[in-house]
Structure formats: C-alpha cells, structure tokens
Amino acid sequence: MIDTHCHLTFTQYEGQIPAELDRMREAGVRGCITVGTTSADSVAGLAIAEAHEGVWCSAGVHPLHSDEPVDWGALRACAQHPRCVAWGELGLDNHYATPGKAHQMAALEGQLDRMVRWREEGIVKPVIIHCRKAFDELLPMLAASGLPRDRFVFHCFTAGPREMRLLL
C-alpha cells in the first residue's frame, strides 16, 4: 500500500519524520507522496523524498496558499527531479473567504499554463487537484488547459454524483 497524499513538511512532523515513516511501515504502508502546497514547501518535500527511501513528492501551489509568492524556477526544478511524481496540489477552494478568487485563479492559471509548456519540454506529471465547492468553475479550466484528461487525481472533491459522472 502507498499513501498517495500526505504532508510531511507540515510543522507537526518537524523532527518526527523518521518516526512517522517507521509507524507507516509498521502499518503496512510501503511508501508515500508528500504533497507540495507552496514553492518552498515543494522544495522541502523534495528534500524529504531525497533523504528517505519510499518517499516521493509533488510540486505545486495549493489554492489556500495562492496569495503567497510563487518561485516558478523552484517548482520547475522540483518537477524535473525523479523523486517528484506529480504536480500539485492545485485547484480552487470556495470554502474559505481568503485567499480571494483572484489569487486562486491566477495561481491555478499560472500553474496550468506552465504545466502545458513544461510538458512540451518533457516534464510530464499527473496533476493532484484540490476542488472544494468549486467544481463548476474548475472543470472548464482543466478541460481548456490542454492537459490529458486521464492525468488528474481529485484529492479534495466536495461535489456529488452528477459531477462525478461528468469527471468520468
């Protein structure tokens, strides 16, 4: 079993990662993907992945961090590393009032645009999607991105059966 979505960079794991990985393995989990939420978090996730067997990472900006500066070079460098196995976690989140829609849309559009361009350069990764109360806004953006439709994983999905049928 592999945990495809964890956040080993979060402060509650500081100094605890080896112990967490031991507990994970004792529970039968052979590996995990620590998911990026900011540029700096993606770099930190890559460092953890490089330091620990059975750990991989992703590179991206979470919608709830979309008002923070983005280091596109750092995200690209992470994505080029073999221990980075996905883009994300990216998307839209209408549950919280902040960051506002403009920040979230700009971060999402910037990431989708770069993923398409970088894909043409050979950086091909699946995309981890965060979609909380934003399905009708997000799905058209993903469809228009030009990215292959079978390369998305919806990690956070708050819509219903109708929307799931549209995804499928």
Side-chain angles (χ1 to χ4, degrees), residues 88-138:
E89 169 178 8
L90 56 100
L92 297 173
D93 190 311
N94 289 329
H95 181 72
Y96 297 102
T98 57
K101 181 68 56 107
H103 286 292
Q104 291 189 41
M105 295 292 263
L108 177 58
E109 289 169 351
Q111 290 178 93
L112 291 173
D113 178 61
R114 282 166 179 82
M115 284 187 287
V116 168
R117 283 191 283 141
W118 292 339
R119 180 180 182 78
E120 293 168 359
E121 298 172 19
I123 306 172
V124 179
K125 309 279 179 188
V127 184
I128 303 166
I129 297 294
H130 178 99
C131 181
R132 187 167 17 194
K133 300 181 181 180
F135 184 84
D136 290 333
E137 296 167 276
L138 182 59

Side-chain angles (χ1 to χ4, degrees), residues 22-120:
D22 286 344
R23 281 192 287 278
M24 172 188 78
R25 289 182 186 102
E26 288 169 10
V29 179
R30 297 175 321 176
C32 63
I33 301 171
T34 187
V35 176
T37 58
T38 66
S39 306
D41 186 61
S42 298
V43 170
L46 178 57
I48 292 169
E50 288 180 299
H52 299 280
E53 186 177 331
V55 179
W56 294 267
C57 67
S58 71
V61 177
H62 191 286
L64 296 182
H65 293 278
S66 60
D67 57 347
E68 299 175 27
V70 177
D71 181 343
W72 297 111
L75 289 178
R76 188 178 197 280
C78 286
Q80 289 179 295
H81 195 284
R83 302 298 291 181
C84 181
V85 295
W87 292 112
E89 169 178 8
L90 56 100
L92 297 173
D93 190 311
N94 289 329
H95 181 72
Y96 297 102
T98 57
K101 181 68 56 107
H103 286 292
Q104 291 189 41
M105 295 292 263
L108 177 58
E109 289 169 351
Q111 290 178 93
L112 291 173
D113 178 61
R114 282 166 179 82
M115 284 187 287
V116 168
R117 283 191 283 141
W118 292 339
R119 180 180 182 78
E120 293 168 359

